Amino acid sequence: MLTIMLYLAIILLATKLLGDLFVRLGQPSVLGKLLAGILIGPAVLGWIHPNEFISIFSEIGVLLLMFMAGLETDLDQLRKNWKSAFAVAVGGIILPFVGGYGAAVLFGLSNNQSLFLGLLLCATSVSISVQTLKEMNRLNTREGTTILGAAVVDDVIVVVMLAVMMSLLGTGHDISLGLLIGKKVLFFIVAIVVGWLAVPWFLKLFAPLRVTESVISGALIVCFALSYFADLMGVAAIIGAFAAGIAVSQTPFKHDVEDRLEPIAYSIFVPVFFVSIGLNITFEGVTSQLVFMIVISIVAILTKLLGGGLGARMTGFNTRSSLAIGSGMISRGEVALIIAATGLESGLLLQKYFTSVVIVVIVTTLVTPLMLKLLFTDGKTDGDQASVSE
């Protein structure tokens, strides 16, 4: 217990101080918070090491972050941009898959291992993009909603691709593709019905309870329940949290929940999530694979940027907005880490490449806020103009 309290004190102090420093330097505070994890983690000072406590707190942190993103999402804007979101997701899967496969072949990996690395680079986790866009007040723009929508589509396609690959490559003979897709479809049907009918009814009944903070408690019940159901159905839990946020945003309790949840999330859980990413970095024995890491990092960044950007450009965004959307899809985050762990267990990702892949994932996460800041500053995006008709 004493260790937990010390860890929390160090994490909160480091994230707030480095976050403030980066804001003063004209950069997103999230970048400072991510670097705080590297600084206080095993890579540099070694004050904090990954453990179960960090894992649980960081999972809650990312769920709350995506729940708040759902709360702030303009549903009408999301509906208008569904074609763009789909195009961005598809473009952001095709190019990384081809690029990752090609790069792996060049480094002498087997065909199966190369296919898996290509699949791993298809993943997208927008939790870092969400935080950066929130800081720049761009989350609810046309670009922001397209990034969020594309992330949902990306998650579903990549999970289905992973199941197919596990089955075809002999590591998951009992995976039924029909069952897998059916579970995903079931999740979205239930999420829509629950969000439309059950959530408003539940909060209306729950809010008047004569206990403290009944409204925020009710909203959190919805968030964690839908996150659990999403995970159960093979969809990322963050998608369930995002869907829960959209559902609550359609009720009269939206602003009350926003005002009360933000202090809870940003005072403790979200900082732990940011730090947990940096804790995965260790520089031991990576010098022998430096070229591999550099090449795969470049491929990972450019293929998502260009693939997602091309999808946006083809559906009516200007060039700068298209690149901004592509940059918002670059971060691989926890989704890619989960896929990497799956590959390690199945033998499709060799142990000697695991640390390098983790570092590549973290590099993409660190680059994302820098690129979003660059592309959304000192330039005109479609979000600054009148909406382009669909």
Side-chain angles (χ1 to χ4, degrees):
M1 189 64 187
L2 287 174
T3 302
I4 292 174
M5 289 186 285
L6 179 60
Y7 274 16
L8 280 176
I10 294 172
I11 289 171
L12 295 179
L13 180 63
T15 53
K16 298 307 177 184
L17 289 180
L18 280 175
D20 176 74
L21 173 63
F22 272 75
V23 170
R24 292 174 186 273
L25 295 174
Q27 299 300 321
S29 71
V30 63
L31 187 57
K33 295 170 186 176
L34 290 169
L35 291 174
I38 298 174
L39 179 64
I40 64 179
V44 183
L45 297 175
W47 292 347
I48 294 180
H49 296 268
N51 59 25
E52 187 179 3
F53 151 72
I54 296 286
S55 176
I56 293 171
F57 264 55
S58 64
E59 180 67 17
I60 295 172
V62 72
L63 292 179
L64 293 181
L65 190 60
M66 294 306 295
F67 179 69
M68 289 187 293
L71 276 175
E72 296 179 21
T73 297
D74 185 333
L75 200 54
D76 290 333
Q77 186 81 281
L78 197 59
R79 287 194 197 102
K80 288 177 184 176
N81 294 327
W82 73 269
K83 291 179 184 177
S84 296
F86 187 81
V88 168
V90 171
I93 285 175
I94 294 174
L95 258 65
F97 186 78
V98 173
Y101 174 81
V105 168
L106 287 177
F107 280 99
L109 274 69
S110 70
N111 187 60
N112 288 355
Q113 292 163 356
S114 299
L115 286 170
F116 183 80
L117 186 62
L119 172 65
L120 190 146
L121 296 190
C122 294
T124 287
S125 178
V126 295
S127 49
I128 300 301
S129 300
V130 163
Q131 177 60 25
T132 307
L133 291 170
K134 276 171 65 72
E135 290 182 16
M136 296 189 295
N137 199 28
R138 297 281 187 159
L139 185 60
N140 222 15
T141 61
R142 189 169 176 237
E143 292 84 5
T145 51
T146 299
I147 291 170
L148 287 167
V152 175
V153 177
D154 184 288
D155 175 70
V156 174
I157 295 175
V158 167
V159 171
V160 171
M161 287 174 65
L162 178 63
V164 171
M165 188 171 291
M166 294 292 104
S167 180
L168 293 178
L169 301 183
T171 57
H173 296 292
D174 28 344
I175 294 177
S176 166
L177 187 59
L179 178 62
L180 191 86
I181 295 174
K183 287 168 70 175
K184 307 258 178 312
V185 171
L186 178 61
F187 165 75
F188 285 105
I189 291 173
V190 170
I192 291 169
V193 172
V194 166
W196 180 35
L197 298 175
V199 171
W201 170 81
F202 172 71
L203 289 180
K204 189 176 180 181
L205 288 179
F206 204 83
L209 294 183
R210 288 178 286 182
V211 291
T212 56
E213 304 297 351
S214 59
V215 172
I216 187 65
S217 296
L220 288 173
I221 290 170
V222 173
C223 172
F224 294 137
L226 266 179
S227 299
Y228 171 78
F229 182 64
D231 192 63
L232 199 64
M233 293 294 104
V235 179
I238 57 175
I239 303 300
F242 178 65
I246 290 178
V248 173
S249 74
Q250 304 306 301
T251 71
F253 305 102
K254 172 185 176 179
H255 297 297
D256 195 15
V257 172
E258 276 183 312
D259 293 342
R260 294 171 184 270
L261 181 59
E262 199 162 283
I264 297 172
Y266 284 103
S267 62
I268 186 165
F269 292 106
V270 173
V272 176
F273 163 64
F274 290 138
V275 164
S276 71
I277 296 173
L279 295 183
N280 287 299
I281 279 195
T282 174
F283 298 122
E284 293 179 9
V286 298
T287 51
S288 60
Q289 294 182 22
L290 196 58
V291 175
F292 175 83
M293 285 187 294
I294 292 172
V295 171
I296 300 300
S297 294
I298 292 171
V299 169
I301 293 165
L302 290 182
T303 53
K304 272 290 183 183
L305 176 68
L306 298 177
L310 182 62
R313 192 75 181 92
M314 291 172 62
T315 51
F317 284 92
N318 66 34
T319 301
R320 194 179 189 93
S321 286
S322 299
L323 290 174
I325 290 169
S327 68
M329 301 293 289
I330 288 173
S331 175
R332 302 320 199 269
E334 71 281 356
V335 177
L337 293 176
I338 292 169
I339 294 175
T342 303
L344 184 65
E345 185 180 341
S346 64
L348 292 174
L349 180 62
L350 298 179
Q351 178 68 51
K352 67 176 183 177
Y353 290 117
F354 183 73
T355 299
S356 298
V357 166
V358 170
I359 291 176
V360 169
V361 170
I362 293 173
V363 166
T364 65
T365 304
L366 291 171
V367 162
T368 298
L370 284 171
M371 296 189 68
L372 284 171
K373 176 77 174 180
L374 176 67
L375 289 164
F376 273 112
T377 305
D378 299 328
K380 219 164 181 56
T381 60
D382 285 343
D384 302 312
Q385 303 166 2
S387 294
V388 178
S389 58
E390 295 294 324

